[in-house]
Each structure stands twice: as structure tokens, then as C-alpha cells.
Amino acid sequence: MYGERSGKPVPVPDSLSAEFWRRHPDGKLHVQRCCHCRAWQHPPAPLCQRCLATDLAFEAVSGRGRIYSYTQTVTGARHPAFAKVTPYLVGLVELVEQDELFLYTNFPGATIEDLRVGKAVEVVFEKGPDDLAMPQFRLVAEDPS
């Protein structure tokens, strides 16, 4: 849980990022996409990082990805709420929708031994205050096919 009861800091959405942080009734992750060249981008920006168009919208993505990088924070957490829960895992996930479409995350329920670069993950949301949702990623079983 994020917010006052947990002591964990919450994002302060601005006009560019509010749609990303908002809880969506469809339960899906929404990422900014260029309406001109159809490239995805994160974090949200005022113009497309690929073609420089300014016509951007948020669209639902599958929420599936692969671990690109990870580490375990054992000491040195910069916020007291996170210092209380060390060690914890953080990493970078590449979404399946596009190469180099990355999201920083943590991996609830996983141990450092569970994680490997390339492992499949899917988004889960931790409820935040008001209408905020904190996207995180959990490991999923590999498709045996």
C-alpha cells in the first residue's frame, strides 16, 4: 500500500503523466503512443521521441514483458519507508509491444534467486491513494509451446 498509512511516497501526477498513474476500469496498463508514427514511449513526453509529432494519446498495452535488468537493494534506501522493507528488488522491464519500451519497477513476491534477465513478467497494480495505481511486475510461468 502506498500513501499516508504506509509512509511510502506517491507520485505527483502532472498533465503529462496523470493518465499513466490513473487506475483504469479495464485493469490495464496505459502507455503513451504517437498517433502519427504509432511508436510507444515511456515516460510520457510532450512530443514523440521518434518523429517529433505532438499528437499523442494513452493506449492500453498487454502488460506483458521481460526482465531487462534487476538488482536487490539491501542498504542505502533513500526513503525511510523503503528502508524498513529492505532488501527489496527493483528492475527494468521491456514491454512486448515494442523494443526498448522500458518501465522501472519492483517485483512483489519474488526473491533475487527467482529473477533472471529475459524472464517473462506481467503487470499487477498496487492501489495508491485517490485514483492512483502503482504498476509493478510479477513473474509468470513460461509458455511451454
Side-chain angles (χ1 to χ4, degrees):
M1 162 103 25
Y2 280 75
E4 286 181 29
R5 290 195 334 224
S6 71
K8 291 180 185 175
V10 295
V12 178
D14 60 17
S15 61
L16 286 174
S17 67
E19 184 71 7
F20 174 78
W21 294 112
R22 187 170 70 84
R23 276 197 301 269
H24 296 279
D26 61 9
K28 295 193 177 222
L29 179 65
H30 288 70
V31 176
Q32 194 178 49
R33 193 172 197 189
C34 179
C35 297
H36 177 71
C37 74
R38 305 302 292 156
W40 299 97
Q41 63 184 29
H42 186 77
L47 52 89
C48 176
Q49 303 301 300
R50 185 173 288 167
C51 76
L52 304 180
T54 56
D55 190 10
L56 304 162
F58 281 82
E59 295 182 18
V61 293
S62 67
R64 293 178 294 114
R66 299 225 172 253
I67 297 173
Y68 188 83
S69 177
Y70 65 92
T71 191
Q72 179 172 263
T73 299
V74 178
T75 62
R78 295 185 179 196
H79 191 280
F82 293 110
K84 292 176 191 174
V85 296
T86 57
Y88 60 91
L89 304 169
V90 294
L92 197 56
V93 165
E94 184 175 35
L95 297 179
V96 298
E97 279 72 18
Q98 176 181 292
D99 288 347
E100 298 182 0
L101 178 59
F102 298 116
L103 270 78
Y104 288 101
T105 186
N106 61 359
F107 302 98
T111 66
I112 192 72
E113 293 80 16
D114 297 331
L115 301 184
R116 293 289 174 266
V117 169
K119 274 200 163 187
V121 292
E122 65 184 358
V123 73
V124 293
F125 294 96
E126 185 171 344
K127 185 178 178 181
D130 302 321
D131 196 31
L132 296 179
M134 310 303 168
Q136 303 170 349
F137 286 82
R138 69 177 173 207
L139 294 169
V140 296
E142 293 290 331
D143 184 2
S145 55

